[in-house]
Amino acid sequence: MNNNKKRPVILDGDPGHDDAIAWVLAAASDELDIKAMVSVAGNQTIEKTTYNGRRIAALLHLKDVPFAMGREKPLLGNLEVAANFHGVSGLDGPALPEPDHPLSELSSVELMAKVLRESEEKVTIISTGTQTNVAALLLAYPELKDKIELISIMGGGLRNGNWTCGAEFNILNDPEAAWIEFNSGVPLQMCGLDVTERALVYPSDWERIRELNNPVAKVVAEWFDFFFIHVSSLGWKGATLHDPCAVMSLIHPEIFTIKDAYVQIETQGQYCRGATVADFREISDAKPNCRVVLDLDREKFVDYLVEACAKYEGWVI
Ligand code: BDR
Ligand code: CA
């Protein structure tokens, strides 16, 4: 893969099947240069998401990319895990290779700060779990804000939530962290449920991935098999591929509908803690703080996903 003009990125997530597929997509992209990977507690405990992340790194041959363990709990409040979607391990399903390089001695925040400090170019953070690592980074190293090109988030939703009627899982798990981020002045792009629940991948779509018959594609197809067990029990006809939207909207923005808006995070509220509230009123004088991703061309999304999985032809694990 050619290194010219790649966008430097940090992957921050709680893998998790859809985080894992997002990282497969990022590692396959000719446009992204992964500088660091960090875990966060969310879909499972921090020990489990870290182990899963390190196994994904081994699967994707990301031996040269430092991996740091992230925050074990939200800034305030209690962590809720999503074992119903992702299993006891947080990434149940196919066997994965064991981690092949040591965990960084730095914390997630220190590692992200190091990458930002040492990079000549601004760096994009792709954050697909709670926003706890990012908020801790912004609080600890405010002088590094200018080194952040963009934070591409999977989180929130303007129409509805998925964990409560008002809140999406990642934001609900740490609304205060999201509040710090949305009020930081750092450029943000938010893939909420508005778009991610339309990023539906049907069983016939992931059969195309399985048929590629390379080792990574086979694992991805089996991740879909597992993830869809719970998702289909909720009535969905396809797998809701949330986290890959945060990657795909960077590398193929042309297939998404994106609108600038002023977005705030509800941290109080009897029913709406963790809700993301956008102001699209034309009369509003609130300055947009976020690019909100609202819709996508689903078929192109699937085609690009299949194309990314095809890049692992001849892979050895
Ligand atoms: C989000 O919650 C997690 O379970 C997924 O990995 C995704 O990041 C969707 O609400
Ligand atoms: Ca996630």
Side-chain angles (χ1 to χ4, degrees):
M1 293 171 193
N2 135 29
N3 251 319
N4 288 339
K5 296 218 169 148
K6 284 189 165 194
R7 179 199 279 257
V9 296
I10 296 172
L11 303 180
D12 166 28
D14 59 339
H17 295 77
D18 53 339
D19 302 78
I21 297 171
W23 290 5
V24 167
L25 191 56
S29 172
D30 288 328
E31 295 183 31
L32 305 183
D33 179 12
I34 305 171
K35 295 290 187 193
M37 303 172 85
V38 298
S39 56
V40 70
N43 284 322
Q44 262 297 354
T45 60
I46 191 62
E47 290 76 18
K48 291 182 180 181
T49 59
T50 303
Y51 178 54
N52 294 340
R54 296 177 67 209
R55 291 188 300 153
I56 298 164
L59 172 74
L60 301 178
H61 297 179
L62 297 175
K63 206 173 179 155
D64 297 332
V65 178
F67 194 116
M69 182 188 270
R71 308 287 291 203
E72 66 173 323
K73 53 183 188 180
L75 299 183
L76 292 176
N78 297 317
L79 178 77
E80 197 164 336
V81 300
N84 44 357
F85 285 90
H86 303 281
V88 183
S89 72
L91 190 56
D92 280 11
L96 295 173
E98 286 302 307
D100 60 358
H101 66 298
L103 200 53
S104 170
E105 287 173 3
L106 302 178
S107 70
S108 57
V109 172
E110 288 164 344
L111 177 60
M112 291 196 286
K114 180 170 186 286
V115 170
L116 294 176
R117 206 180 290 119
E118 291 176 357
S119 177
E120 284 174 13
E121 291 163 67
K122 292 188 178 195
V123 177
T124 296
I125 301 174
I126 303 175
S127 191
T128 57
T130 70
Q131 300 310 301
T132 320
N133 287 327
V134 173
L137 171 76
L138 296 172
L139 291 176
Y141 299 99
E143 72 280 9
L144 291 175
K145 277 183 197 173
D146 290 346
K147 298 294 295 282
I148 303 175
E149 174 79 28
L150 178 73
I151 307 175
S152 180
I153 304 154
M154 189 282 129
L158 306 183
R159 281 176 294 120
N160 56 276
N162 59 359
W163 222 252
T164 65
C165 62
E168 180 277 333
F169 179 77
N170 289 339
I171 305 295
L172 182 67
N173 245 333
D174 199 341
E176 283 73 20
W179 190 94
I180 289 167
E181 183 180 58
F182 277 76
N183 289 282
S184 68
V186 173
L188 306 177
Q189 181 159 297
M190 168 184 146
C191 287
L193 299 172
D194 315 283
V195 63
T196 69
E197 289 185 341
R198 294 177 183 191
L200 287 177
V201 179
Y202 297 118
S204 57
D205 297 323
W206 73 79
E207 284 316 309
R208 285 172 64 194
I209 294 177
R210 199 186 319 271
E211 281 163 14
L212 293 169
N213 206 25
N214 72 56
V216 175
K218 282 197 260 180
V219 166
V220 169
E222 288 176 37
W223 280 333
F224 273 112
D225 293 339
F226 184 87
F227 187 56
F228 195 52
I229 296 170
H230 186 67
V231 172
S232 60
S233 78
L234 302 175
W236 293 98
K237 300 284 177 246
T240 39
L241 216 51
H242 306 287
D243 293 336
C245 290
V247 177
M248 193 74 93
S249 59
L250 293 178
I251 56 183
H252 287 295
E254 72 284 357
I255 68 165
F256 291 87
T257 306
I258 304 177
K259 231 176 146 179
D260 288 343
Y262 175 72
V263 178
Q264 269 307 342
I265 310 296
E266 179 58 85
T267 56
Q268 310 293 316
Q270 192 177 349
Y271 302 107
C272 295
R273 178 168 156 81
T276 44
V277 183
D279 191 348
F280 286 116
R281 292 174 304 161
E282 281 175 15
I283 54 160
S284 171
D285 50 16
K287 200 166 159 267
N289 60 349
C290 185
R291 290 161 55 82
V292 185
V293 185
L294 290 167
D295 202 355
L296 83 170
D297 181 328
R298 193 204 76 86
E299 286 180 5
K300 289 203 174 111
F301 176 84
V302 171
D303 287 345
Y304 286 133
L305 187 63
V306 175
E307 188 180 289
C309 292
K311 292 209 177 156
Y312 295 93
E313 184 67 49
W315 213 250
V316 177
I317 55 174

